[in-house]
Amino acid sequence: MAITAAAAHPALARDILVADQTQFKAAVKAAKAGDSILLADGEWRDFQAVLSGEGRTDKPITLTAQTKGKVVLTGQSNLRLSGRHLVVSGLIFRDGFSPTSEVISFRRDSRSFAQDSRITEVVIDGYSKTDRRAEDMWVALYGTGNRVDHSHFEGKTNAGVTLAVIRRAGQPLDNRHRIDHNYFGPRPPLGSNGGETIRIGTSEESLSASNTIVERNIFDRTSGEVEIVSVKSGGNILRENLVLSSQGAFVLRHGNGNRVERNIFFGNNVPDSGGVRIINRDQTVRDNYFEGLAGKDLKSAISVMNGVPNSVINRYHQVSGAVIEHNSIVGSARITFAAGADAERSAPPIDSRFSHNLIAGANGSDPFRVDGDIAGIALAGNVEAKVAKPLLTSGVEQRDVALVRAPNGLLYPTDPTLANVGAPRDLVPVKREEAGVSWYRSAAAEAAFGAGRTIPLTAAASLAEAVTTSRPGDTLALASGAYDVLAPIAIRHRLTIAGQKGANPILRLATGGLARVEAGGGLKLERVEIDARAARTDAVLVAIGADVAPNYSIAMHGVTVRGPGAKARIDGITMAPGTFADAIDITGSRFTDLAGAVVLGTAEQTPKGWYPVERLTIADSHFTRVGMVADLLRKGSDESTFGPWFAMTESQVTDSGADDASLRLSGVQHTAITGNDFTRSAPVTLIHSVGTPDTRITKNRFIATPEPRIEELAYKGPVRAKLSDNIVEARP
């Protein structure tokens, strides 16, 4: 153990450099107020660190890196704090995941909490469990008076909140934590509830005040679920944060007397990008700026919800005493009042005020929507850029509104008489250099399809060997001829297999299986023919393995697949439970004689709302004698997710269908089936079970095929099904 010369005098603070876990434990045991424990530069693998001690306000006990950014905790590592006046800084968690339910915890055990302690300049990057269903929290704030600041959190792909304030009976509830100047980087959709970036409390203790402050943070593409910040306690302040291109909203889910003020939201027209959702009593939303938000309904720029009469604590309490004032909502799709009104949520907002807000809808449209009674919302002094047929006229003045971008990057009206309407002029967006750490930027994203080398192959080459020696982003360019695939090939990075221009390569499958996508993998097939006619046992063309980290992509462009028909069941793309695709894209492709489903996404059978793919797109493709074009399942009734999204356009389905459906979509939130021909096939079946599904089936021909079936399964919301301009013909 290395100790600086200051240790020669016992009254002086010490810098204690430790090189291994044994030395670290000894240093913690000996640490006094003012001491600093320095982890030696390098990798600390499987390090379950515990920092306990009693520092003082002016002399905290510090755990830091010998050199900031050069100490990396990997493998199965975590950190627990207990005591008072502790500071941790300069560490990176990467390349692994916590062996417990928390990466950094402000408690050692259920009785030993940290108070008046701080995590600063700490990085957690992609430190996610490989099964997205395995839940953990990256930072768990217990105790009182703690602070998390100037830290970097990015790339959480498994279930669980990125940063949570934990409040339980018998533990301190008046938390007074501060969460400030952090960079919350991209968090992709989880595909289930439990993907919040910040959560303050839970419903059980929500009627007491946490008094936590969340300020001057950046939320950059934090799209885990519909609640970016979930407030489930009272007395909290969300102030001066910057939200960029993020799906979801700040949600005042439970608890009363919270304030959301001076925040800036730039949605950049990202689907489902929202602002603030208001529930419960005495919530204040003021002086905020919302621009380019595309979300609707519960994800609107401003959403004031209906409540449940005499609601139990974990449902929706009636909105009462809400103050929504001096906000600018520009270029945004929706402001929704009485949102979510249905047979259960029948208690309208009361004693509330919406005043002096500036509204300019996207593309000159009127963003206001009213789903129920809004007599309890007093509207006064609001100004809306003129629309042809305004929904609200009392308390919302229609004006010609010219907007100009000010030096702070925000749009304000040029008319001086509107100076007291909308967001204040002194808002200052958080700069990137203010939030997070100055010495860390995340590694480059995984190489995109086609970003690497192009490697030409002849039919004499081994495709399996070429895949093994390829690198992320490479393209294997195949010449004409037959390529025999004796067993499914493991794909461990993003890879394109494509026919050379003008070539006709044929991939002959001995077993019916082409590829197995494993951890880190993604596959794009382009201009190739896949011949699976020799298969005699059930198989899958492209199987997604159970160990695949979430958020991969699969694409088939200009692909022809020939199966064995009834001789064996061949499925096209199947997804193991616990995996999640950002996108599956099938364009300009042909599938013939596959007894299974071309896309099979039914493995997630739990009622918690898991689903296997965010966006499934099919365009200009042909399906002949296939079991199903797609079988996609999202169970449960929780409304915390965005998808799945399904689109099918300009495609032909002939002599197809199994289990009484040629296409089956259950729990899908966004469906667009347009311009397709279904001939002598089983019907399209849709099951609405959650959220407010937007279903559009238009301009299709159903030839000797039944009309689409739409079922409601334990569903309470409005069915937004548009079936129009379809042609139904009895004979081919």
Side-chain angles (χ1 to χ4, degrees):
M1 186 183 302
I3 304 177
T4 65
H9 193 293
L12 297 178
R14 302 174 298 171
D15 286 346
I16 308 170
L17 178 64
V18 298
D20 58 38
Q21 297 187 33
T22 300
Q23 291 182 4
F24 169 77
K25 290 177 182 177
V28 171
K29 187 175 181 179
K32 306 296 183 183
D35 287 351
S36 293
I37 302 171
L38 283 66
L39 299 184
D41 291 349
E43 180 181 284
W44 291 68
R45 178 169 290 276
D46 302 333
F47 181 26
Q48 297 189 47
V50 178
L51 177 64
S52 298
E54 294 292 327
R56 298 204 301 263
T57 302
D58 58 337
K59 291 185 177 182
I61 297 173
T62 298
L63 170 63
T64 190
Q66 180 183 11
T67 306
K68 290 180 180 179
K70 292 189 177 181
V71 172
V72 182
L73 281 69
T74 68
Q76 296 191 40
S77 298
N78 59 17
L79 171 64
R80 289 175 288 160
L81 310 177
S82 72
R84 197 179 287 269
H85 299 297
L86 309 174
V87 176
V88 178
S89 68
L91 309 181
I92 299 172
F93 288 84
R94 193 175 60 203
D95 300 327
F97 56 87
S98 172
T100 62
S101 61
E102 296 158 346
V103 179
I104 298 176
S105 178
F106 281 75
R107 72 171 187 176
R108 184 180 62 200
D109 53 45
S110 61
R111 296 182 178 179
S112 305
F113 302 95
Q115 299 186 63
D116 302 317
S117 295
R118 182 182 182 192
I119 296 290
T120 185
E121 291 191 278
V122 166
V123 174
I124 308 180
D125 187 353
Y127 205 64
S128 302
K129 298 181 188 294
T130 55
D131 186 334
R132 67 179 175 127
R133 300 166 300 177
E135 183 173 350
D136 67 2
M137 289 175 279
W138 276 6
V139 179
L141 271 163
Y142 296 89
T144 59
N146 296 313
R147 183 182 182 193
V148 178
D149 67 283
H150 294 89
S151 291
H152 181 118
F153 307 107
E154 177 175 352
K156 194 175 198 301
T157 55
N158 65 307
V161 184
T162 304
L163 186 155
V165 174
I166 310 298
R167 312 175 72 244
R168 293 173 181 156
Q171 298 177 3
L173 297 180
D174 181 16
N175 306 113
R176 294 175 283 106
H177 297 314
R178 186 180 177 201
I179 303 162
D180 65 287
H181 294 89
N182 300 289
Y183 174 76
F184 293 97
R187 177 168 187 176
L190 175 64
S192 178
N193 187 11
E196 305 98 326
T197 296
I198 293 179
R199 190 187 71 216
I200 307 173
T202 56
S203 59
E204 289 80 5
E205 305 298 331
S206 59
L207 297 183
S208 59
S210 174
N211 297 316
T212 289
I213 296 174
V214 180
E215 65 180 344
R216 300 296 289 177
N217 302 283
I218 294 176
F219 297 86
D220 180 9
R221 293 162 285 168
T222 49
S223 300
E225 62 146 271
V226 296
E227 299 183 21
I228 301 170
V229 177
S230 180
V231 176
K232 295 184 176 180
S233 53
N236 302 292
I237 300 173
L238 311 184
R239 178 170 60 203
E240 295 187 349
N241 300 286
L242 175 64
V243 185
L244 302 171
S245 302
S246 297
Q247 294 176 279
F250 286 7
V251 180
L252 305 179
R253 183 65 183 88
H254 299 300
N256 306 311
N258 296 289
R259 298 199 329 248
V260 182
E261 57 190 15
R262 298 178 64 83
N263 301 283
I264 297 170
F265 293 73
F266 285 115
N268 294 316
N269 297 309
V270 168
D272 288 325
S273 52
V276 179
R277 178 155 50 115
I278 301 161
I279 313 162
N280 312 301
R281 290 191 290 105
D282 303 325
Q283 314 284 32
T284 298
V285 178
R286 66 187 178 200
D287 298 341
N288 300 286
Y289 180 88
F290 307 94
E291 182 181 343
L293 302 179
K296 302 176 182 179
D297 305 311
L298 304 188
K299 300 174 287 289
S300 299
I302 297 285
S303 177
V304 183
M305 282 198 70
N306 256 31
V308 177
N310 302 311
S311 176
V312 295
I313 199 166
N314 66 341
R315 286 302 289 156
Y316 291 89
H317 288 232
Q318 185 176 30
V319 173
S320 174
V323 175
I324 307 163
E325 62 184 8
H326 292 287
N327 303 286
S328 291
I329 305 103
V330 299
S332 296
R334 275 299 175 272
I335 299 168
T336 305
F337 294 151
D342 58 21
E344 181 200 22
R345 294 181 293 219
S346 59
I350 58 173
D351 300 328
S352 297
R353 184 170 80 242
F354 185 86
S355 64
H356 298 93
N357 300 287
L358 177 71
I359 300 103
N363 301 315
S365 63
D366 185 356
F368 285 108
R369 292 294 182 275
V370 174
D371 291 347
D373 179 11
I374 62 166
I377 303 177
L379 287 83
N382 303 288
V383 173
E384 180 180 16
K386 275 186 179 178
V387 296
K389 296 181 179 179
L391 178 67
L392 302 177
T393 54
S394 178
V396 182
E397 181 185 359
Q398 296 289 307
R399 294 273 295 268
D400 290 320
V401 177
L403 300 173
V404 64
R405 204 166 292 279
N408 64 358
L410 311 184
L411 291 169
Y412 293 97
T414 57
D415 187 342
T417 66
L418 298 180
N420 195 39
V421 178
R425 306 255 173 170
D426 63 348
L427 294 180
V428 180
V430 185
K431 295 181 176 61
R432 181 64 181 89
E433 54 268 27
E434 293 178 56
V437 296
S438 60
W439 42 263
Y440 186 85
R441 291 293 182 267
S442 59
E446 181 185 2
F449 288 128
R453 304 167 300 167
T454 297
I455 304 169
L457 295 182
T458 65
S462 166
L463 181 60
E465 183 177 330
V467 169
T468 300
T469 58
S470 66
R471 298 200 294 256
D474 282 355
T475 297
L476 304 182
L478 310 186
S480 293
Y483 298 75
D484 289 318
V485 179
L486 302 180
I489 301 170
I491 308 293
R492 297 188 175 94
H493 50 249
R494 194 161 291 193
L495 181 69
T496 301
I497 300 175
Q500 297 175 14
K501 189 173 182 180
N504 181 34
I506 301 172
L507 309 182
R508 285 196 308 223
L509 311 185
T511 65
L514 170 64
R516 178 180 174 84
V517 178
E518 299 183 354
L523 180 62
K524 181 177 183 180
L525 299 170
E526 201 167 29
R527 300 186 303 275
V528 297
E529 180 179 329
I530 300 172
D531 184 355
R533 289 178 292 181
R536 292 296 179 267
T537 58
D538 295 353
V540 177
L541 293 179
V542 179
I544 311 304
D547 59 346
V548 174
N551 309 99
Y552 63 92
S553 295
I554 301 292
M556 291 185 173
H557 295 169
V559 174
T560 296
V561 179
R562 303 183 190 279
K567 297 174 184 176
R569 174 179 172 128
I570 303 294
D571 291 300
I573 301 168
T574 68
M575 294 152 275
T579 63
F580 189 65
D582 279 332
I584 295 176
D585 180 25
I586 298 173
T587 302
S589 297
R590 292 177 174 269
F591 301 83
T592 305
D593 292 324
L594 295 181
V598 175
V599 179
L600 181 60
T602 59
E604 299 284 10
Q605 291 289 333
T606 67
K608 294 185 177 181
W610 298 103
Y611 56 95
V613 55
E614 187 70 6
R615 293 176 182 271
L616 172 56
T617 304
I618 299 171
D620 189 27
S621 294
H622 296 252
F623 305 86
T624 304
R625 297 184 297 280
V626 302
M628 259 190 267
V629 173
D631 193 357
L632 187 57
L633 173 66
R634 183 246 194 260
K635 298 189 77 172
S637 58
D638 189 275
E639 298 172 301
S640 297
T641 55
F642 306 107
W645 299 67
F646 176 84
M648 180 174 173
T649 57
E650 304 298 328
S651 296
Q652 286 77 48
V653 180
T654 306
D655 296 324
S656 295
D659 298 331
D660 202 27
S662 59
L663 170 64
R664 183 164 56 208
L665 307 174
S666 180
V668 173
Q669 290 298 283
H670 305 271
T671 300
I673 302 173
T674 304
N676 307 285
D677 288 350
F678 294 82
T679 304
R680 297 185 302 276
S681 295
V684 172
T685 299
L686 292 95
I687 301 170
H688 288 154
S689 58
V690 61
T692 54
D694 185 0
T695 298
R696 300 174 185 273
I697 305 176
T698 61
K699 299 181 181 179
N700 304 283
R701 289 201 311 163
F702 299 96
I703 306 165
T705 298
E707 293 185 75
R709 294 193 310 239
I710 299 179
E711 303 175 11
E712 296 183 18
L713 180 65
Y715 176 65
K716 299 175 183 177
V719 176
R720 298 186 175 183
K722 179 180 180 182
L723 282 75
S724 63
D725 301 320
N726 296 298
I727 298 173
V728 180
E729 300 179 8
R731 300 186 178 211

